[in-house]
Structures are given as C-alpha cells and as structure tokens.
Amino acid sequence: MFDNRPDRDAEIVFVGRSNVGKSTLMRELTGHKFETGGKPGVTRKPNHFDWASEDFMLTDLPGFGFMSGVGDEHREQIKTDIVHYIEDNAEKILLGVLVVDGKSVIDIIDRHSGEDEIPHDVEMFYFLQDVGIPVVVAVNKMDKVDDKDDRLNDLCDRLGLHPPWKQWQDTIAPITAKRGSIDSLNESVKEHLHDQKRDDLLKFFS
C-alpha cells in the first residue's frame, strides 16, 4: 500500500500506463528532475511533489498496465494500490490527469476491448469521475501523430465523448511534454481549478 503521503489538503494526481511520459511531463510542470527510465515501470511508488508553500501538491502515481520484467501479480497489485490511493484521498484530489500516448492509445484501447474487458485507460477515466474527480486526458507525444484531429476524435469516441474533440478542450489536452509543449494542459487544469474556486493555484500552471 502507498503510505508516506505528505499532509496536504489539495492535490492533482497524474495517472497513466507505463512509458507514456508522465515523469517527463512532471519535470516540465515542476522544473524538478524525476527518475525516468528507459524501462517501463521505474516509478513504483507515488512521487509527491509538494514544493509549493501552499497546501497543495502534484502526485505522479506509478504506471499501470504492461511492464517488462514485472509479473502479473505485482502489476495487479500496483493497479489496486493506485485505485485505493485515489479512493482514500478523493476528497482532497482536485483533478486527475490521465496521461496517454497519442501515437499508440487507440491501438492499445482497441486491442484490450474484449467482451469482459475494459481497457485500463478507459476504466481509469470513468473511475476518477465515479469518485467525483474531474479528469483531463493529456494526450502526449502528439509530435509523432500525423492525423491529429482524427486521432483525437477517435480517442473521444473510445472514451464515450461525442466527437469532434474540440468541444472537449477542458477534457482533452494534446501535448508534447518532451518539447515543453503543454499549454493546452495548463489551460484545462486552470479551468478546472477556477471552477473549484482555487484561483490561488493558477500561478503554478502559467
């Protein structure tokens, strides 16, 4: 179980499969270097970033889904721990940012859509909403995608949002974290913080 959560009353959590670029995005948002590895699954416990003097932090939760060299049981345990962490702290979580790889997300979702299977990404999107946490989907690595609008429309379709994606700009944020291109995510986050009367935190997302 994940313990050692800093005593902060407000947080934004970042969730996503292994290797979608969450740690790179965290580095971009905070200016702090996180341990990133070429191997998926380097982050096994939450990285809490409570650098702000305000009662607020960003939390990078471990990647879920396939990880090379990690057994099924351990993988399931990580996912269970993520779910429990979010449930236990839901009242303090202002926003969930689901990070996906724009290049591969549609293939991954479609590959895992069996009769009894809900793909992890789709499941996490609905799970966050079910526990009352607004969600922004940060669609990373968009510099590698040619047909951007088509890809984002397809993603909306898989998430049960009616395309075109542009009407969901508070929910779908195309980014390229490695190049520092994260303005759309910052704008979406700020919109949600404003809705929750947390304008005091907008300065962290400028």
Side-chain angles (χ1 to χ4, degrees):
M1 198 56 211
F2 303 147
D3 40 20
N4 303 328
R5 180 188 182 277
D7 185 20
R8 295 285 171 118
D9 274 339
E11 79 181 290
I12 292 177
V13 296
F14 290 75
V15 293
R17 288 178 178 277
S18 303
N19 248 14
V20 294
K22 275 196 295 94
S23 299
T24 306
L25 175 57
M26 298 300 286
R27 193 165 59 225
E28 200 52 49
L29 284 166
T30 62
H32 180 84
K33 277 192 167 38
F34 283 82
E35 189 182 323
T36 61
K39 267 195 354 205
V42 168
T43 311
R44 299 283 171 88
K45 292 202 161 144
N47 268 322
H48 299 290
F49 204 83
D50 55 341
W51 82 109
S53 52
E54 279 80 358
D55 189 13
F56 165 71
M57 65 181 174
L58 303 181
T59 298
D60 177 18
L61 290 168
F64 53 75
F66 175 77
M67 291 169 255
S68 60
V70 178
D72 287 354
E73 200 175 308
H74 186 64
R75 210 158 56 215
E76 278 306 307
Q77 186 57 52
I78 288 174
K79 194 171 155 220
T80 302
D81 288 346
I82 291 169
V83 165
H84 285 160
Y85 180 90
I86 291 169
E87 284 176 338
D88 292 347
N89 298 295
E91 286 183 11
K92 297 179 176 182
I93 298 173
L94 301 172
L95 184 67
V97 177
L98 172 61
V99 186
V100 301
D101 180 334
K103 195 167 162 48
S104 61
V105 64
I106 303 300
D107 290 342
I108 288 173
I109 288 176
D110 289 354
R111 196 183 320 145
H112 291 272
S113 298
E115 286 206 357
D116 304 317
E117 271 189 317
I118 301 172
H120 287 333
D121 304 278
V122 177
E123 188 179 28
M124 191 60 73
F125 180 74
Y126 281 106
F127 166 66
L128 286 161
Q129 292 180 325
D130 286 348
V131 293
I133 299 169
V135 193
V136 173
V137 183
V139 192
N140 195 18
K141 307 185 187 181
M142 286 303 288
D143 57 321
K144 296 179 177 168
V145 175
D146 298 328
D147 47 348
K148 292 185 171 54
D149 285 338
D150 288 348
R151 182 66 50 92
L152 294 168
N153 287 340
D154 285 347
L155 178 59
C156 281
D157 180 58
R158 304 306 190 273
L159 294 173
L161 307 172
H162 293 295
W165 76 273
K166 288 193 169 161
Q167 63 183 335
W168 300 101
Q169 288 187 51
D170 57 340
T171 304
I172 303 289
I175 62 169
T176 301
K178 217 170 205 171
R179 295 189 177 177
S181 173
I182 59 169
D183 288 355
S184 60
L185 176 61
N186 281 333
E187 289 308 313
S188 302
V189 170
K190 286 195 286 193
E191 209 167 301
H192 286 286
L193 290 175
H194 177 68
D195 288 347
Q196 297 184 60
K197 303 188 167 43
R198 290 307 304 260
D199 286 1
D200 56 312
L201 302 177
L202 299 184
K203 61 189 177 195
F204 297 117
F205 301 93
S206 54

